[in-house]
Amino acid sequence: MIPPSPVIRVSHLTKRFGAQVVVDDLSFEVAAGETLVLLGPSGCGKTTLLKTLNRLIEPNGGTIEINGRDVRQQKPEELRRGIGYVIQQVGLLPHLTVAQNVGVVPGLLGRPPAETAARTTELLNRLHLPAERFGPMLPAELSGGQQQRVGLARALAADPPVILLDEPFGALDPITRTAVRRDFRELDELRRKTVVLVTHDVTEAFELADRIMLLDKGKIQQLGPPRELLLHPASDFVRSFFQAEQLALQLRVVTLAEVQPFLPQGQPAASADTPTLPPTASVHEALGQLDAGAASAFRLADQPQVITRGQLLAAFGQALG
Amino acid sequence: MSLLPDLFTFWHEQAGKLGHQTLQHVALTAAALGLGVAVGVPVGLWLTRRPRWQGAVLGAAGVLQTVPSIALLGFLIPFMGIGARPAIVALLLYSLLPIIRNTVAGIQGVPPAVVEAARGLGFTNGQLFRQVELPLALPVIMAGIRTATVINVGVATLAAYVAAGGLGEFIFEGISLNNPVMILAGALPSAALALAFDAGLGALAALSARRLRAVGLGLLVVLPLLAAGYWGPQLLGARRGQPALQAAFSPEFVGRADCLPGLSRIYGLGKLPHGVLAPALVYEALRDGRVDVIDGYSTDGRIRAYGLRVLRDDRHALPPYYCAPVLRPEVLRAHPELGPVLDQLSGQLSDSAMTNLNYQVDNLHRDPKAVALGWLRRRGLLKAPRPLPPGAPEVRLGSKIFAEQYILVEMYAALIRGNTDLGVATKTGLGGTTICFEALRGGQIDMYPEYTGTGLQVLLQPSAAVLDSLGGRPEAVFSYVQAEFGRRYGLAWRAPLGFNNAYCLLMREQQATELGITSISNLGKYLQK
C-alpha cells in the first residue's frame, strides 16, 4: 500500500527568541487525514511550532510545505484562510453574532452569502447549537463550552483541508471539556482533515491522536502512535512523562485482541442480549461498556463465550506482565 | 430675587446677539472638534503601532492640557493674530489629549485573543483594523471625543478674548460690568450647549460599533456643517464687499451704555463692524493692523509707543474719568496732617504727563517706583523719608492692577514718608474696581486712586435721568460722586489729580492721517460714505 502523501512537510525548522532556541531543527511530516498531537511540558515549543505553520510566527530557519507549497511563497492571510485555526481563548469577534462569526472566513474568501448561511446553519446544528436559536446571539451570551463549539464551527466553515488547534479545550471545566471533546471526536468533518493539535493534557492526547509528537526544549523526544510512546519509550524523559498516568493510558492502548490469549477458556456461552465488542476496542472501552450498561459481561465478536470484568482485568495484567 | 425675569428680559432684548453668539460658539467648538478628531484619532492609532512614542506624545498632549487657556491664547496671538484661528487652534490643542489617549486605550483594550484569532483566520492588517479593532475601540474613542467636546464648549467662552466671538462675549461683558444677569446670559447657554453636544455624541455612539460608517459620517459631515456656521455669514458678508474699517473693543466698552451704545447713537457708528477682544490685546491688534479702530484709555503709554491717535470726542459723548484719591475719612480724622500731603498732587498731572509716565513703565519697562520718584524730584516734591518713630501708625494704600495705579501709589507713598511720621504699606495689584472698593469699605486698605467715571457708572449706577442731568461735565460728575460716596458709603474723595483717563477711540496715526480722521465725528462721517 502506498502511504498517503504528506500534507504538511516540515524540515529543519528553527525558531529563536533572542538567545533562546524554542524550536530546534525539527523535521517531520503529517499525512493527509492524520491527527498529530503536539504534547509536552510548558515552554517546550509546541505552541510556537504550531504558529509557524500558519505564519503567525515566522521561523528563523527551515522550510514548511503545506499541500506541496512553501508557505513563504503565499501571502500570510491567503495561507491562513486555507487553514482552520482554533485557540484556547476562542477569540470570537464580540461585536458579531454567532452566525456572522462562523461565516467570517467564507466572507473573507468572497463566497456567496447564501452558501455561507447554509453551511453555517449545518455546522451549528451539528455542533448542538441549533442555528435558529444561537445564530443571532452575541458571543457574550454563550457559555464557555458553547463559545468553543462556535470557534470550531468557525474554523471548519470554509472547509479547509488543514486545521490547527491550540489547547482548544484547555479553558473549559472538566465536564464541559469532556462533552466538547466528544463532539469534536465524533465530527465527521474532522476525520477527513489533517489536524495538528497542541495540548499538555496526556489523556486528551491519547484520546485524539493518530500520532503524538512529544517535545521538550524545542526538540522531538519521540514521534509515533500513542501505544508506541507508552510501551516503547525512546528515553527516560518519555517514560517519566507518562509515569503518573501509566495505568490509565495502558488501558487505552491495549486492545481486546491483545488480552484474548490470556482469557480463561471454556466459559459459558453468551446469550443473545450480551453486548458484543470488536477485538480492536481498547480495554478502557470495554470497561466503560461494563460500567455504563446493565450487562455484567460482554463477548468478543466471533467468539462464543462471555467475559466478565474480573476476567478482563486479570488478563490485562498478564498481557502487560 | 429678580434675576430670572431679568435674565429672560435680557435674552429677549438681545435675542439677535444671543443667536449669533451661540452660532459662533457652536461653530468654534465643532471646527476644533472636527480637527481634533481628524488629528487625534490617527495619531492615537499610529501610537498603537509605535508604542515607543506613546510616552512622548501623550506627555506632550498632557502638558498642553495643563497650560492655562488664557496663557495658551496669549501665546498663540503673536503667531496667529486674533480671531477664530488662534481660538480654534487652542481648542484643538485642548481636545487632543482625551482623543489620543482614548484612541490608544480603545485599541489596546481589544482582547489579544480576538486579535490573534482574527489574524489566524486570515484577516489582513487593514481588515483587522477596520472590521475588528476600530469597531471594538469605538465606544472608548467616542468617550474621549465627548470629553473633548465638553472641555471645548467651556474653553470656547475664552474665544471672546481674542475677538473670535461666542457666548464668552456676554460673560466677559458681564464680569467687567459687574452684571450677574449678563454673565448668566452667556454661561447658561454655554452649559446647555455642552450638554447638547454631549447628548448628540452619546446618541451617535449608541448607534454602536456595528454602524461604524454612520458614526464616521456623523463626525466628518455634521461637524464641518456646524463649523460652517461661523464662516458662512462671513463669506456672505465678504461677497457684499469688505467693510472699510474693522474695530475691536474690550468687553466693558461694548457693554456699557455710555460707551459703544452711546457713541453709536451720537456719532452714528452703527456701520462699524466690531469684534470683542481682551483689553490687554486691543493695542497690539491695532498696531499690527489686524483692526483699524479700538477703544483704549487716554493716558495709556502704548498710545505713544505704538504711534496711535486719540480721536477727539468732539461731542462729549464719553464720560469723564478724572483720577482722584478715595479714602476712609477716619484716617483723615486720626491724622489731619495727611490731607495737605495728599493734596500736593492735586491738578499736577496732565493727560500727556500721565501718558508719558505710563509709557516709561509699560513700554520701557522701568520700575514704577523709580518713575514716580523721578517725577516728584523734577517737580521738587521729593523729600527724604523721615525716620519712623517706634509704633508709628501705618497708612495702607491700595491700587488696581495696571501701571498708572502703581505709579500713583508710589507717589503717594513717597509723599507720606517724606512729609509725615506715618508708616506706609502698599497693597498693589488688587485686581479690578470692585476688589479695591470693597477692600476700602471693609477697612483692609485706607486709600486708593479712583476715577470719577468709574465711581459713577460702576459703583453708584445712577438712573438715566441723573446721568442726563450731569451731561458728562467733569465738575458736575465729580461733585455728584463726592457727595454720593459720602452719603452712601461714608467715603471721601480728595481733589482730582488733573488728568482724565477716559475711554477713547484710537486709530493708527498713519491711517488716521490718510483718511483725514481726527475726531469721532470724522469717523462717523467716513463710515456713512
Side-chain angles (χ1 to χ4, degrees), chain B residues 89-332:
Chain B
V89 170
L91 292 180
L92 163 67
L93 294 178
Y94 280 118
S95 67
L96 283 181
L97 181 67
I99 294 179
I100 296 178
R101 193 159 54 191
N102 279 45
T103 303
V104 172
I107 297 284
Q108 287 180 342
V110 176
V114 172
V115 175
E116 195 204 320
R119 273 190 196 288
L121 293 171
F123 282 76
T124 62
N125 281 338
Q127 288 168 331
L128 178 69
F129 173 66
R130 283 193 306 278
Q131 297 179 27
V132 181
E133 290 180 309
L134 202 54
L136 292 179
L138 200 64
V140 183
I141 297 176
M142 284 302 290
I145 294 175
R146 287 169 74 174
T147 308
T149 310
V150 176
I151 293 174
N152 270 2
V153 173
V155 178
T157 54
L158 293 173
Y161 262 154
V162 292
L167 289 161
E169 288 190 0
F170 278 150
I171 297 176
F172 291 121
E173 278 177 48
I175 290 173
S176 59
L177 296 175
N178 199 11
N179 180 344
V181 171
M182 218 167 180
I183 299 175
L184 280 180
L188 288 183
S190 166
L193 269 186
L195 293 177
F197 260 107
D198 194 48
L201 288 170
L204 203 60
L207 284 177
S208 99
R210 298 197 207 180
R211 310 273 290 272
L212 187 61
R213 188 163 298 185
V215 175
L217 277 183
L219 285 178
L220 295 177
V221 173
V222 174
L223 288 180
L225 276 181
L226 289 176
Y230 194 94
W231 287 277
Q234 283 193 353
L235 290 177
L236 289 177
R239 209 171 295 162
R240 275 192 240 115
Q242 276 291 336
L245 294 174
Q246 172 70 40
F249 298 126
S250 57
E252 187 170 351
F253 189 79
V254 173
R256 285 182 52 163
D258 58 351
C259 289
L260 189 59
L263 282 185
S264 295
R265 203 177 59 242
I266 293 168
Y267 290 106
L269 302 183
K271 281 191 180 170
L272 184 61
H274 68 269
V276 178
L277 192 56
L281 300 173
V282 286
Y283 290 92
E284 281 72 19
L286 179 60
R287 178 193 60 186
D288 299 343
R290 302 186 194 284
V291 294
D292 308 302
V293 183
I294 63 165
D295 68 301
Y297 296 105
S298 50
T299 57
D300 197 290
R302 286 170 292 191
I303 294 173
R304 187 179 148 185
Y306 296 167
L308 309 181
R309 175 181 291 181
V310 178
L311 302 189
R312 197 156 36 79
D313 181 16
D314 49 339
R315 293 171 69 177
H316 302 286
L318 292 166
Y321 280 75
Y322 285 87
C323 183
V326 184
L327 62 159
R328 303 193 304 127
E330 300 90 297
V331 183
L332 277 186

Side-chain angles (χ1 to χ4, degrees), chain A residues 77 80-85 100-111 116 154-160, chain B residues 117-118 120-123:
Chain A
E77 55 270 12
R80 290 172 196 153
R81 286 170 197 169
I83 301 176
Y85 187 55
Q100 286 171 325
N101 263 287
V102 175
V104 153
V105 183
L108 291 174
L109 290 167
R111 303 241 172 109
T116 304
R154 182 172 67 174
L156 293 169
D159 203 14
Chain B
L121 293 171
F123 282 76

